[in-house]
Amino acid sequence: MATHEATEAPAAGATVPLEVRIGFAHACLQWIADRCGADLLHVKGAALDPTLVPGRGFSDADVLARPEHVRMLLDELRHHGWELINSFAYGSSFEHSATLRHSDFGLLDLHRIYPGTGPTPGRAFDTLWAERTTRVLGGVECAVPSRDAQAALLLLHAARGGSDPKAAHDVDWVWTTADQARRARILDWVERLDAGLGFSVITGTLDDHRDDPAYDLWRVASRGGTRMDEWRARVRAAHGLRAKLTVASRSVLVNVEHLTIVRGRPVTRREIVAEFFGRPARGLREQVARRARGSRATGEREQ
Amino acid sequence: MTAAYRPGPDAGVTVSDDGQCVYVAHLPGGPIVVLEGAAALIWVEATTEPATGWVARVAEAFGQSEEVIAADVAAFVADLGARDLLVTAPTEAPGTPG
């Protein structure tokens, strides 16, 4: 009888499609959350309502946890075979998610914040949680935001996508081709989630928010920028001097977790030191290159 | 009306769109077990109502008599049970609406 354990590599034909593994990642998270009493919402990817963007692919599982339950979930995940490969501080300029990996279920992004939502992470979660629905993933009933809330969240994600064709496709499907009634429902969620700044990228009105401390974060995320631009934006968006200093100091520390993944093995002290000096140098080189390009462009315009 | 069996309480299940593969994951830690061909068919019929005649449905699908396949099917189901992937479904109380 053809029964294979997919973890047994030699079993011919016992391959498991990525989307099946990711479905099980969601199922695993829900299993753990149900047993430890954590609230979480499955977002994007396999959890996305398939009628929003038909045929949309995905490569990992994303879940948004109630902020005060994040620590407990991280501890539980580690007990069940999930390995932390990127912590919140180093995940992205929004410092919103940690990435974990499981040998059977693949990659997971555990979000403590959904970038662009507010006014606080806790209140944003409550707003989404209050109108949650369910979707069966990997055979387990998982909590997901309502369909219109999913549309708003997907657009906020696309707003950070820069020139990514997938992000442009999402905006086309969910916003550009939407009728007035559907847009109104999405905008209602944007308002309820205090997501006006991030959503202004979608409506092309980001520059109306120049005075917002998080404006630069969205400008760099949506239009691109150097590593230096990104860190400057992170410092500006951090609340209070202490937080700003913490972000600034992190900009020159080495993300050992990430470096371990890049190298595919534990990194040596020597490599950490090399990376420490390499990162600011890379940032400087990018800045110099950008200025050089700018000067050339100015020179060309002046000629 | 119930099926003869149902997935274990710590099993996640995904059936491929063409019904040829059933993926069953031990939750929360794995591994993922892949059932193909006859194994997939047995899983699907065992977990599909009605419970009555489910082995006969498997036999019919393979063009065999129930007597010929019954022992193998029972052994396979026992193996899945030993892995906690499949459990006997509770029988309905008399008079329970189907």
Side-chain angles (χ1 to χ4, degrees):
Chain A
M1 208 79 63
T3 309
H4 309 289
E5 286 201 359
T7 45
E8 292 170 359
T15 54
V16 181
L18 181 62
E19 63 269 22
V20 173
R21 289 184 187 275
I22 293 170
F24 286 141
H26 284 285
C28 171
L29 259 289
Q30 191 64 51
W31 188 99
I32 290 171
D34 288 346
R35 281 152 184 81
C36 74
D39 293 337
L40 59 83
L41 290 163
H42 301 256
V43 293
K44 300 191 296 177
L48 190 72
D49 186 312
T51 61
L52 278 177
V53 186
R56 189 179 190 275
F58 46 87
S59 56
D60 60 8
D62 292 275
V63 296
L64 173 67
R66 184 178 290 286
E68 58 267 38
H69 294 168
V70 167
R71 171 50 51 195
M72 173 171 64
L73 272 170
L74 270 178
D75 290 344
E76 288 293 326
L77 285 166
R78 283 167 160 164
H79 290 143
H80 294 293
W82 290 90
E83 175 195 6
L84 183 70
I85 60 173
N86 226 344
S87 60
F88 293 103
Y90 294 104
S92 80
S93 48
F94 290 86
E95 302 184 6
H96 64 288
S97 67
T99 305
L100 298 101
R101 181 172 54 192
H102 191 281
S103 57
D104 289 317
F105 306 142
L107 293 172
L108 163 75
D109 273 347
L110 175 63
H111 297 243
R112 61 179 177 181
I113 307 164
Y114 197 95
T117 64
T120 64
R123 282 177 60 187
F125 186 90
D126 282 339
T127 303
L128 292 166
W129 184 252
E131 294 197 24
R132 70 189 180 279
T133 178
T134 60
R135 180 166 165 74
V136 174
L137 298 166
V140 173
E141 205 162 84
C142 297
V144 298
S146 73
R147 186 177 184 277
D148 291 326
Q150 289 186 37
L153 294 178
L154 190 64
L155 289 169
L156 286 173
H157 178 68
R160 296 189 289 118
S163 57
D164 177 16
K166 191 174 176 183
H169 185 68
D170 289 345
V171 175
D172 271 350
W173 267 93
V174 180
W175 183 252
T176 310
T177 61
D179 60 24
Q180 287 304 314
R182 192 168 159 198
R183 285 189 175 195
R185 292 198 304 272
I186 292 171
L187 288 172
D188 178 52
W189 272 101
V190 170
E191 191 178 331
R192 291 162 69 183
L193 292 169
D194 194 24
L197 173 61
F199 202 78
S200 70
V201 174
I202 302 298
T203 53
T205 55
L206 176 63
D207 288 340
D208 294 348
H209 300 266
R210 284 178 187 279
D211 295 335
D212 193 305
Y215 163 80
D216 283 336
L217 272 184
W218 287 94
R219 180 181 55 76
V220 173
S222 60
R223 299 173 189 165
T226 64
R227 195 179 300 268
M228 203 89 86
D229 291 335
E230 184 187 320
W231 280 107
R232 198 179 287 133
R234 291 171 78 158
V235 171
R236 187 183 169 204
H239 296 289
L241 181 61
R242 191 186 182 90
K244 287 180 193 296
L245 289 173
T246 303
V247 172
S249 66
R250 211 184 284 139
S251 71
V252 291
L253 292 177
V254 176
N255 180 357
V256 177
E257 298 154 2
H258 178 71
L259 200 56
T260 303
I261 298 305
V262 170
R263 298 276 196 273
R265 56 174 167 73
V267 290
T268 64
R269 182 176 291 272
R270 191 187 187 89
E271 286 172 313
I272 295 170
V273 171
E275 183 69 9
F276 179 89
F277 289 105
R279 279 171 63 122
R282 267 203 303 278
L284 190 63
R285 276 199 297 276
E286 284 179 13
Q287 199 72 5
V288 168
R290 173 165 277 219
R291 283 188 181 154
R293 280 197 302 274
S295 304
R296 270 202 305 278
T298 309
E300 283 162 11
R301 276 198 301 275
E302 285 171 352
Q303 282 170 3
Chain B
M1 197 179 290
T2 61
Y5 295 88
R6 66 182 184 192
D10 300 328
V13 183
T14 299
V15 181
S16 65
D17 290 341
D18 62 7
Q20 296 296 305
C21 269
V22 177
Y23 305 96
V24 190
H26 274 285
L27 298 177
I32 300 170
V33 173
V34 184
L35 308 179
E36 295 176 318
L41 181 76
I42 291 171
W43 176 282
V44 169
E45 291 298 348
T47 56
T48 300
E49 57 190 37
T52 305
W54 79 270
V55 179
R57 297 199 298 269
V58 174
E60 186 183 348
F62 286 104
Q64 302 283 336
S65 71
E66 193 173 337
E67 293 73 32
V68 169
I69 67 159
D72 284 340
V73 170
F76 179 63
V77 167
D79 179 41
L80 292 173
R83 296 168 184 244
D84 296 325
L85 297 176
L86 204 58
V87 295
T88 305
T91 51
E92 287 168 357
T96 304

